[in-house]
Amino acid sequence: MTVSFEEYAALARQLSEQRRAGEQHAATEAARRRDLHAAVDYLQQRLTAQGHRLDQLGRAIGIDQPPPGPPSNAGSAPSAPGPGSAPSTAPGTGDGEDAGAAGAPGRPGGGAYPELPAGEARLALPTAVSPAGAGVPTQRAAAVDPTVELELARRMADEADRHGQQAEVLAQRPALLPTWSPLARAVAVYAGCGVAAGVLVLALVLASGVGLVDGFTLGAWICAGLPAVAFFGGYLVLGRWGRPAMVAGTPPRYLPLGFLICFLVVPMAYCAYLLLVRGLR
């Protein structure tokens, strides 16, 4: 059978086109693999950074790392046989048992697996099906598309970033009046401590009326003692509950403002009490 020149040329062109298609497919596949490796490296860097950031957040809010699990007792020494237990047989004893009977699974007298009754053993242990038999074929694993899996992992990483940003926003808010500004929070805390000290002033005035406290002690507590107690109380409250979990440095506590508020509220409470008593009279 002779091949004409035209047929030979057509065959050569077909082979050349197939070769070019194969080279183009190989180049496309190589580029796709490079893109996949680059996406995997970028995603791994993101996950590593997220892990470090989560560790920082955990340390900031006082969450320690989980303790390691209890050590497994796989390498522990076997316990000594108790009274009445059957001793393990040694090789060459003549009782028909070899040295590996205690560790061979499924043998009578072997301790590797618990023994089951005949009926339960038939239900628990599956029967082997030969390839030529008519058994049910095993389910084949579905093909995994790396591009789809990377896209899912990227979406999960984006979701983790979003939740991490929300956690950082919450961690930058103090436990006490989190939506208030630092100045408004300080004014509220110092004013509240001053009002509490004003209630104590009223208690001291009542005690002075019945002769339990003299006038000098009452004046000292009203002018200096209780205002100082209210000021230091507000200072400690702002330092304990007015500080965010994640903050650089010490947040402002507005000491001059707190001093002014506390040393004004307590005498004003006493003056208000006097005006109220005179008004009732």
Side-chain angles (χ1 to χ4, degrees):
M1 178 180 179
T2 60
V3 179
S4 63
F5 180 76
E6 289 79 6
E7 293 176 350
Y8 180 79
L11 182 60
R13 285 194 300 270
Q14 183 180 2
L15 291 176
S16 178
E17 290 175 358
Q18 290 179 356
R19 181 179 178 181
R20 285 197 299 268
E23 291 177 353
Q24 184 178 4
H25 176 72
T28 304
E29 183 66 20
R32 189 181 72 88
R33 288 180 178 272
R34 286 194 300 269
D35 294 340
L36 287 177
H37 284 296
V40 168
D41 294 338
Y42 174 70
L43 186 60
Q44 184 177 4
Q45 293 176 0
R46 285 188 62 186
L47 294 178
T48 303
Q50 287 178 358
H52 292 321
R53 192 57 179 168
L54 288 177
D55 292 340
Q56 293 178 359
L57 286 172
R59 288 191 296 268
I61 63 179
I63 297 180
D64 298 330
Q65 296 295 330
S72 61
N73 54 1
S76 60
S79 58
S85 61
S88 60
T89 59
T93 54
D95 53 358
E97 297 289 339
D98 57 353
R107 283 193 178 184
Y113 302 109
E115 296 183 0
L116 297 175
E120 296 183 6
R122 284 194 298 269
L123 293 176
L125 300 178
T127 58
V129 179
S130 62
V136 179
T138 58
Q139 184 178 4
R140 298 181 60 182
V144 177
D145 189 358
T147 305
V148 176
E149 296 296 327
L150 282 176
E151 179 63 22
L152 293 177
R154 186 190 63 80
R155 292 180 182 178
M156 292 180 182
D158 294 340
E159 191 72 11
D161 284 337
R162 186 175 65 84
H163 287 291
Q165 292 174 0
Q166 293 178 356
E168 290 182 2
V169 171
L170 293 177
Q172 292 174 0
R173 294 181 179 180
L176 180 64
L177 303 175
T179 59
W180 291 29
S181 64
L183 179 59
R185 186 182 306 110
V187 170
V189 168
Y190 285 122
C193 292
V195 170
V199 175
L200 295 179
V201 165
L202 299 180
L204 287 176
V205 170
L206 294 178
S208 176
V210 296
L212 296 178
V213 178
D214 56 1
F216 177 79
T217 303
L218 178 63
W221 276 105
I222 292 175
C223 296
L226 289 178
V229 171
F231 172 73
F232 285 109
Y235 180 83
L236 295 177
V237 168
L238 287 177
R240 176 62 180 85
W241 292 283
R243 180 176 182 177
M246 292 185 62
V247 64
T250 303
R253 303 188 192 183
Y254 302 97
L255 301 183
L257 178 63
F259 187 85
L260 180 63
I261 291 175
C262 293
F263 278 84
L264 283 179
V265 170
V266 176
M268 286 176 59
Y270 179 68
C271 295
Y273 173 77
L274 293 180
L275 293 177
L276 180 62
V277 171
R278 291 182 179 180
L280 291 177
R281 290 179 180 178

